[in-house]
Amino acid sequence: MRVQERESDGKPRGDSRLRRTVDIVVTLVLLPVLLVPMLVLALLVRCTGRGPALFRQWRVGRGLRPFVILKFRSMTAGADRAGPAVSGAADPRVTRVGRWLRRTHLDELPQLVNVLRGEMTLVGPRPEVERFLPYYTRDELRLLDVRPGVVGPGALYVTRRDGELGGAAGAEECYVELQLHTKLALDRAYLCDRRLRADLGLMARAVSISRRKSS
């Protein structure tokens, strides 16, 4: 109820030139700093299991345009073709290194390249796998009017509840029934209160969750 009240207070705030400028500047600063750690993580993924270091998956971006999202691979090679499109903490397809990468959110670092390309923004609703779009309502589809984000309130909500999805069997049904619409409501409410303070708060929460799960 509180989410709906906040959403009705204003109109969703979309992308802007200032936001895009900030994305480019921050990404150009972070990528050189994180280059060596990212190479180490890529080597760690390659040395602890078969398959490439990077996981590539088609997602739906702004204006319903598909793009390839980049992550460090956290599941066994080919797992996305052999099971559901979502995975929980107990999913047997997730590797040992992958569980650590997910807990710390380090698997998301390659998405800085997506941000630099203009396919994503640093803070915003997470991009969706196309197969889940039929479950969106007309109002929820308006989230696709903006660039998807690396960090977002809906994504943080799903992260805290990843235990609900259990193993691979039935994970997609659980995601749709238990998480999807609450996640989207949080993202819609965020867009109505989209400002620097909200963005910084979400980034701080993401760092806090990562530290808590890695300890």
Side-chain angles (χ1 to χ4, degrees), residues 8-146:
S8 64
D9 288 340
K11 295 181 180 180
R13 300 180 181 179
D15 299 317
S16 65
R17 290 184 180 180
L18 177 60
R19 178 172 292 273
R20 181 61 187 148
T21 300
V22 171
D23 283 342
I24 293 173
V25 172
V26 172
T27 303
L28 289 177
V29 170
L30 287 180
L31 278 174
V33 174
L34 295 174
L35 179 59
V36 172
M38 289 174 67
L39 289 175
V40 172
L41 290 174
L43 184 62
L44 180 63
V45 173
R46 286 288 287 119
C47 291
T48 55
R50 292 183 176 181
L54 288 179
F55 171 67
R56 297 172 171 86
Q57 185 183 51
W58 284 101
R59 296 288 180 97
V60 180
R62 185 174 65 171
L64 291 173
R65 289 189 293 272
F67 72 98
V68 177
I69 196 172
L70 301 175
K71 294 185 177 186
F72 285 121
R73 182 173 55 84
S74 61
M75 296 195 294
T76 54
D80 58 315
R81 298 187 298 273
V86 292
S87 55
D91 195 311
R93 298 175 298 168
V94 181
T95 65
R96 183 178 299 180
V97 171
R99 295 187 195 283
W100 173 72
L101 288 173
R102 290 184 174 200
R103 286 198 305 269
T104 57
H105 292 282
L106 293 175
D107 60 322
E108 311 284 0
L109 286 179
Q111 286 161 44
L112 291 173
V113 175
N114 291 119
V115 174
L116 193 60
R117 290 174 179 171
E119 298 159 337
M120 297 179 68
T121 185
L122 291 172
V123 183
R126 284 293 290 174
E128 189 65 87
V129 179
E130 185 177 8
R131 72 172 68 179
F132 294 114
L133 291 188
Y135 299 102
Y136 279 47
T137 66
R138 181 178 299 178
D139 286 338
E140 288 168 348
L141 285 172
R142 293 181 61 191
L143 289 169
L144 299 175
D145 292 338
V146 302

Side-chain angles (χ1 to χ4, degrees), residues 172-203:
E172 291 188 2
E173 291 80 3
C174 288
Y175 171 67
V176 172
E177 293 177 8
L178 301 177
Q179 298 180 0
L180 177 63
H181 298 292
T182 301
K183 179 192 81 167
L184 298 178
L186 290 168
D187 285 336
R188 292 169 64 200
Y190 156 75
L191 288 180
C192 292
D193 190 33
R194 198 179 200 189
R195 47 189 170 180
L196 179 60
R197 182 177 180 181
D199 288 358
L200 293 176
L202 287 168
M203 295 177 73

